[in-house]
Amino acid sequence: MVGAGVGGLATAARLAAAGYQVTVCERDAQPGGKMNRVAAAGFQFDTGPSLITMPGVLAATFRALGRRMGDYLELWPLDPLCRYFYPDGVRLDTSSNLVAMTAAIGRLAPGDVGGYLAFLAHGRRLYERAARPFLYGARPRLRDLLARRGLDVLRIDALPTMDRVVRRYFRDPHLVQLFNRYATYSGSSPYRAPGTLCLIPYVELAGGGWYIAGGLYRLVASLVAICGELGVDLRLETPVAEVLVAGTRPPGRARGLRLADGTVLGADAVVLNADPLYAREALFAPRWRPALARRAAT
């Protein structure tokens, strides 16, 4: 496996729990990927995510590993979720408490309270339509999308931009900016990303947010500990130069890794927990890249 971010660690642990021999190669000196930490002047600071949403997903991961999440992590509910400061002096606290959130919006922009309630309802519809095929399922096939309720994916605001959808519900520029910024959770721009991403604020504002006692990096540390218990071979400061592919024509089959120091690791399968564009351009020989690009586009 390439990459020891949260996804890579969770996948490695699940594979090891299923009986597979797993080796994880991570180029950095510590695991975690985007969820990481820095230390300075005797203090530790989380980098990357600032809160946890959908804790049930984490709990399910621990259960799949034969563990109880509460034995590793203590989650604190957050209220307010976030405090926003604007250049004109406006300050706004967001909350998953509907009464508190509508009151805060009412003090800022009374005319947008109804829009907020409608926006939450729309976000719920998007979540109900998109969650099963895209969030909780494997990559959907055409027959999956045409199955019962599958046609719901045609009504997930995939064509209008997120900014356009947000402006359907809000007039106040502070609120437009606030809800647009949820696109950055996935590294996207609200002016280019599909309106489907409006399900992200729904998940946070309706479902709540949590902090992990001791810092979010405790999640990474817990997964590393479980990987060790399950026999995962975690190799830090081990950059990968190439995914080795058997065959001369696409699609081929991944058969191992060539490390930056020239070492070759054979494998029955290779899992990439890395940015897809980076992996395609940096970790595969040029002859495989067009096929990978076509596969990503279909």
Side-chain angles (χ1 to χ4, degrees):
M1 177 177 293
V2 181
V6 172
L9 292 171
T11 302
R14 282 175 175 261
L15 290 172
Y20 292 95
Q21 182 179 347
V22 183
T23 298
V24 182
C25 297
E26 167 59 50
R27 67 182 179 183
D28 292 333
Q30 61 185 23
K34 291 183 176 67
M35 179 179 280
N36 227 292
R37 66 182 175 186
V38 296
F43 296 93
Q44 292 186 349
F45 301 89
D46 287 322
T47 65
S50 55
L51 52 74
I52 297 291
T53 57
M54 303 173 68
V57 174
L58 294 183
T61 297
F62 279 86
R63 286 195 301 270
L65 302 176
R67 269 75 173 174
R68 179 177 169 273
M69 183 174 70
D71 294 334
Y72 293 83
L73 305 174
E74 180 184 355
L75 270 60
W76 296 342
L78 294 175
D79 192 17
L81 292 165
C82 191
R83 175 164 292 166
Y84 294 87
F85 297 88
Y86 295 89
D88 60 3
V90 168
R91 191 186 82 178
L92 177 67
D93 288 354
T94 58
S95 174
S96 58
N97 181 303
L98 185 61
V99 174
M101 187 63 181
T102 53
I105 291 176
R107 290 189 292 271
L108 173 64
D112 278 346
V113 171
Y116 175 68
L117 297 175
F119 181 71
L120 279 186
H122 182 65
R124 177 175 180 174
R125 289 192 294 270
L126 291 178
Y127 178 81
E128 291 173 343
R129 294 166 183 169
R132 179 171 294 181
F134 295 112
L135 298 183
Y136 295 112
R139 184 175 181 179
R141 296 164 294 182
L142 180 59
R143 68 184 182 186
D144 299 323
L145 301 181
L146 295 178
R148 187 175 68 88
R149 292 185 61 83
L151 291 178
D152 276 348
V153 301
L154 300 178
R155 297 182 291 130
I156 59 173
D157 280 346
L159 296 180
T161 65
M162 187 176 186
D163 175 69
R164 181 178 171 187
V165 174
V166 167
R167 290 178 187 274
R168 290 180 193 165
Y169 298 96
F170 301 101
R171 296 292 179 266
D172 183 85
H174 304 90
L175 297 176
V176 171
Q177 183 181 19
L178 186 158
F179 291 106
N180 269 348
R181 75 100 193 167
Y182 279 93
T184 65
Y185 274 23
S186 62
S188 303
S189 163
Y191 309 109
R192 301 182 63 183
T196 313
L197 294 193
C198 287
L199 66 81
I200 297 177
Y202 166 75
V203 166
E204 180 175 302
L205 292 165
W210 286 262
Y211 187 70
I212 297 175
L216 296 188
Y217 197 76
R218 291 290 297 273
L219 173 58
V220 175
S222 299
L223 291 173
V224 169
I226 295 172
C227 282
E229 295 166 5
L230 295 172
V232 173
D233 181 8
L234 176 58
R235 304 187 184 186
L236 302 177
E237 297 183 284
T238 305
V240 172
E242 183 182 357
V243 176
L244 301 177
V245 182
T248 57
R249 295 187 301 173
R253 186 175 180 84
R255 287 302 188 189
L257 302 173
R258 180 171 58 82
L259 306 182
D261 65 5
T263 302
V264 173
L265 301 178
D268 295 321
V270 175
V271 178
L272 295 178
N273 181 54
D275 179 83
L277 293 179
Y278 164 80
R280 186 180 74 204
E281 298 302 318
L283 300 181
F284 287 89
R287 68 176 181 274
W288 301 111
R289 294 172 191 168
L292 291 169
R294 289 194 297 272
R295 182 179 298 180
T298 58

